[in-house]
Amino acid sequence: MRRLITPLRTGALTLLALVPAGIPDAARATPGPAPSVTEVDSDTSAKVDGETVSASAAGVVVYDRSKNGSGESAGAVTSTTSWTPPACYYAPRYTPKELESQMRQVWASSAPSPEWARKTQDYFVNGKPYKDFNKDKAGRGYWWDAYVTEGREADPASQNCDKTPFWVDKGDAPPADALQAVSPEVLAQLAYAQIRVPSTKVDLAPEGTTKVNLPTWAWLDAAKFKPVSVTASLPLLGLSATTAAEPASLKLTPGTSDAVTYPASGGCEIRKGQIGEPYAKGKADEAPPCGVRYLRSSGEGSYKLQATTAWKISWTSTTGQGGDLPNGTFGADQDVVVQEIQAVNR
């Protein structure tokens, strides 16, 4: 059954009480917050102090972006497949006392219906399946609940994590039907969404304006074009995963069919840590290792030269697990004015 989520904020934490869909609006018109989606993950710190889970209401995943791409033109990679990082996931949220405190407030002031209150009391208190919020297991596990990945709040997939909060003992795996439960690989996938790569604006020679049939050299600054990475950690479980993006190649698209690329495929490979080769005096008539030759003037306007970088993406983790994730791309356009070569009659 599809479910909505009603949060009740107390201090730093938010309870996600699950409300069955189909409840009339009038049944929801009770004191307390209006129905909402699950909490959004973002930068935060998290720790356990006795009976308290200290975590901001924003989430429990911490991102280290110190090795990420930067600058005004940096951007997120787009997967080369239909795959996307998860829109939601399950992770620890409450100790037994925290869950009890918030549920009792919901039952007292904002329960959408008596039937819902009875069902959730059976679930958390009366042994169907949990008894007294698992207080006898305090310090030996956590109640897990759903989080929405930052930036995916409007994505319908963010509602796929609709399980009622569930208990997981420390050291145990989450239940098999919690497919989006946080793990080293899920952390790596969340880090994937935070990857930012530098601009792919290429250096050109001639710069900005070139001539018909004149080879235009293109290259990327090796100092800016380098691997980047983001680490996602879940301190409550002592898990971390690092997702790294390494530049693999550059694809040039001239912006017109009246052009020839170098190489013919338009794909420029990395050589000695850089893509392409800076133009040097005396090479005007040579074919560049990476570049374009326009066959027709751009007239009063310009052509949109697009440079798209392919990035190889992989991950490692504190558990020793790791592997590849779908490769990504990032592109940028730049204007190129192409003029006719003027003949001079003497």
Side-chain angles (χ1 to χ4, degrees), residues 89-171:
Y89 59 92
Y90 298 107
R93 189 183 291 276
Y94 310 109
T95 65
K97 285 185 177 180
E98 288 169 344
L99 185 59
E100 178 186 28
S101 173
Q102 299 205 37
M103 279 307 301
R104 293 200 183 283
Q105 291 183 60
V106 172
W107 291 328
S109 63
S110 13
S113 72
E115 179 185 7
W116 178 89
R118 178 182 57 78
K119 288 183 177 180
T120 52
Q121 287 168 3
D122 283 346
Y123 181 85
F124 290 114
V125 181
N126 298 328
K128 299 179 182 181
Y130 301 106
K131 188 174 181 179
D132 197 20
F133 296 99
N134 270 8
K135 283 190 287 188
D136 61 331
K137 290 190 173 185
R140 292 185 284 145
Y142 308 106
W143 286 99
W144 287 43
D145 208 345
Y147 293 83
V148 171
T149 305
E150 184 180 6
R152 303 288 292 278
E153 298 85 353
D155 189 334
S158 68
Q159 295 297 308
N160 290 342
C161 300
D162 57 3
K163 285 179 62 65
T164 305
F166 54 89
W167 179 267
V168 179
D169 287 331
K170 288 182 180 179

Side-chain angles (χ1 to χ4, degrees), residues 160-211:
N160 290 342
C161 300
D162 57 3
K163 285 179 62 65
T164 305
F166 54 89
W167 179 267
V168 179
D169 287 331
K170 288 182 180 179
D172 284 359
D177 63 345
L179 300 179
Q180 302 93 335
V182 74
S183 65
E185 185 168 7
V186 168
L187 287 175
Q189 293 171 354
L190 294 173
Y192 186 113
Q194 300 296 322
I195 287 286
R196 298 294 181 268
V197 295
S199 168
T200 53
K201 182 177 180 180
V202 293
D203 292 307
L204 298 173
E207 181 180 2
T209 301
T210 187
K211 304 295 184 182

Side-chain angles (χ1 to χ4, degrees), residues 12-13 40-47 53-65 89 92-93 147 150 231-236:
L13 292 171
V40 179
D41 82 340
S42 66
D43 290 283
T44 182
S45 60
K47 63 181 180 178
V53 176
S54 298
S56 78
V60 292
V61 174
V62 180
Y63 295 104
D64 178 358
R65 303 182 183 90
Y89 59 92
R93 189 183 291 276
Y147 293 83
E150 184 180 6
T231 297
S233 302
L234 205 166
L236 285 177

Side-chain angles (χ1 to χ4, degrees), residues 209-210 212 296-303 336-340:
T209 301
T210 187
V212 171
R296 188 184 297 274
S297 166
S298 59
E300 297 297 321
S302 62
Y303 294 125
V336 178
V337 176
V338 181
Q339 300 175 338
E340 294 283 0

Side-chain angles (χ1 to χ4, degrees), residues 313-335:
I313 301 179
S314 60
W315 67 281
T316 57
S317 70
T318 50
T319 65
Q321 296 172 282
D324 293 330
L325 288 170
N327 292 340
T329 61
F330 181 63
D333 293 337
Q334 56 199 96
D335 293 322

